[in-house]
Amino acid sequence: MQLTRRHLLGSALTLSAMELFPGISHAQARKLVFATFTGSWEEAHRDVLVPAFKKAAGQDMLLDAMLSVDQIAKVSAARNNPPIDVMLHDPGPALTAIGQDLVEPFPAAQSKNYKDLIPEAQDPMGPSMFFQVVGLTYNPEKVKTPPTSWADLWKPEYKGRVGITNLNSTLGTGFLVEIARMHGGNEGNVEEGFKAIEKLKPNLAAVAANPGALAALFQQGQVDISPGNFNAIQILKARGVPVEFVAPKEGAIAFKTSIHIVKNSPNKALAAQLIDVALSPEVQGKLMQSPYLVVPTNGKVKMDGEIAKVLAKDTADMKKKFIFQDWKKINEHRSAWIDRFNREIKI
């Protein structure tokens, strides 16, 4: 059989994989599966990350879009033969996945790009691929005076017009913590946050299952103001949906979103390669551009455009303006909060 360049490239990648992770074999190999988030994240990764990985690895991959809790459940149910090779997690679920021994260290020493991440994004159990930023989102055609504070959501003029997410999403939990903090609480005590959300009920139009579903409610005209993810709103704007983002005066909430190699994956080397591609300035630079506007973690990527205008001009500015919550503390209580929210917050 005549050897083509593709065959040779594939052989070289297989040898590289065996060197990086000696336990891998030809029999174990299957197409790489990356569990990304739903909605705008899946779009961004399909458009930018998938083709970049194909170019780097010479192989195809699959995206499996789902929430972090579903990723963890899926891998936990098949630990010895996981159907996912790479997981994407916000800080709370990341700590859960690590605590349940579902992921393994990223081989940072072999990575081209890990060293260029800002210190806050470097973690041997899973580096941060990007930051999510949560602030106030609103429809400027319906909300004529832009909001400036989380407290604005309780204004009487927003009766039946506010949207939030449940606590299964990081957005929802982070919002609860910040509302509690405004009333004297913190990551370990959100009693005042629950009381405040109870008082918000007359204004609530919807409690969405996840940030993607919340963004869709703006598109459908069902909500006019809410907490929301910066990049999800920017994608809606690019589609012509009337929606704007503003950082509240209390500070925008920032979440590190980390990417992890699943333990017992038969594609460990390819998983590591995908993560390295995701950390590259080329991929992060593209994801920072419209319509995705994802906040980068690679220090080589210069912030510009809407991110520099609305969020932060550079990483130093970001540290001043963003609120990073203590997710280790939040995780101690989150399950109980989710149960309580599902019982009490009904509209």
Side-chain angles (χ1 to χ4, degrees):
M1 179 181 72
Q2 185 178 5
L3 291 177
T4 65
R5 184 175 180 276
R6 180 177 287 277
H7 286 122
L8 290 169
L9 181 60
S11 299
L13 283 166
T14 301
L15 287 171
S16 174
M18 289 178 177
E19 288 172 5
L20 193 56
F21 292 98
I24 196 170
S25 72
H26 288 282
Q28 290 172 299
R30 60 162 167 75
K31 195 173 286 189
L32 184 77
V33 178
F34 172 34
T36 184
F37 297 153
T38 57
S40 59
W41 308 108
E42 181 183 11
E43 279 185 50
H45 293 152
R46 190 176 304 284
D47 293 348
V48 177
L49 181 57
V50 170
F53 174 76
K54 285 182 183 177
K55 182 178 178 182
Q59 296 195 31
D60 203 355
M61 60 173 285
L62 295 174
L63 291 180
D64 194 1
M66 67 186 87
L67 295 174
S68 283
V69 290
D70 298 322
Q71 295 180 34
I72 289 171
K74 207 168 184 178
V75 172
S76 295
R79 286 174 176 266
N80 295 326
N81 186 25
I84 296 168
D85 302 296
V86 180
M87 291 196 284
L88 189 68
H89 290 310
D90 290 340
L95 290 170
T96 299
I98 293 167
Q100 293 183 9
D101 197 28
L102 299 179
V103 299
E104 61 180 71
F106 174 68
Q110 282 83 27
S111 168
K112 296 178 186 175
N113 301 299
Y114 183 88
K115 67 183 184 305
D116 297 323
L117 300 181
I118 63 174
E120 290 81 1
Q122 293 185 11
D123 188 322
M125 290 305 296
S128 295
M129 180 182 173
F130 54 84
F131 291 123
Q132 294 187 59
V133 181
V134 171
L136 288 160
T137 60
Y138 67 99
N139 180 340
E141 294 180 359
K142 302 287 185 67
V143 178
K144 299 302 183 182
T145 302
T148 60
S149 165
W150 295 120
D152 289 345
L153 295 172
W154 280 258
K155 286 184 174 180
E157 58 260 40
Y158 298 142
K159 184 176 180 179
R161 302 168 69 187
V162 175
I164 61 174
T165 66
N166 63 31
L167 301 196
N168 286 328
S169 75
T170 302
L171 186 159
T173 302
F175 173 66
L176 173 68
V177 169
E178 285 314 297
I179 296 309
R181 199 191 309 278
M182 286 176 64
H183 295 85
N186 54 42
E187 285 89 341
N189 177 13
V190 295
E191 185 62 33
E192 293 302 317
F194 272 106
K195 290 179 182 177
I197 292 179
E198 182 68 29
K199 292 177 183 175
L200 185 63
K201 280 183 179 180
N203 283 12
L204 289 179
V207 177
N210 55 63
L214 181 60
L217 293 175
F218 275 97
Q219 194 166 11
Q220 296 160 11
Q222 294 184 42
V223 301
D224 295 327
I225 186 169
S226 77
N229 277 324
F230 172 79
N231 82 302
I233 294 308
Q234 300 308 318
I235 287 178
L236 287 183
K237 280 181 69 175
R239 292 176 180 157
V241 178
V243 65
E244 294 291 345
F245 177 97
V246 64
K249 65 183 181 183
E250 295 85 5
I253 308 167
F255 305 119
K256 295 190 291 185
T257 302
S258 50
I259 186 167
H260 305 263
I261 300 171
V262 175
K263 192 166 188 178
N264 297 324
S265 161
N267 284 318
K268 290 178 184 177
L270 286 176
Q273 188 172 13
L274 172 67
I275 293 173
D276 204 38
V277 170
L279 303 180
S280 70
E282 294 79 17
V283 165
Q284 294 208 353
K286 285 182 182 177
L287 288 174
M288 187 181 67
Q289 303 305 315
S290 181
Y292 315 112
L293 296 174
V294 174
V295 181
T297 57
N298 190 309
K300 287 186 173 181
V301 180
K302 183 179 180 342
M303 293 185 188
D304 61 17
E306 197 72 7
I307 286 178
K309 178 182 172 185
V310 177
L311 296 180
K313 295 179 176 61
D314 51 36
T315 52
D317 193 31
M318 182 176 67
K319 288 177 187 178
K320 283 190 250 177
K321 292 181 175 178
F322 292 176
I323 294 171
F324 290 93
Q325 298 169 331
D326 183 353
W327 275 87
K328 186 174 181 182
K329 190 70 176 174
I330 290 171
N331 258 23
E332 294 174 7
H333 310 279
R334 191 180 182 192
S335 293
W337 296 349
I338 290 172
D339 289 342
R340 179 177 174 184
F341 184 95
N342 292 342
R343 286 194 315 269
E344 297 181 5
I345 311 301
K346 298 180 195 253
I347 58 171

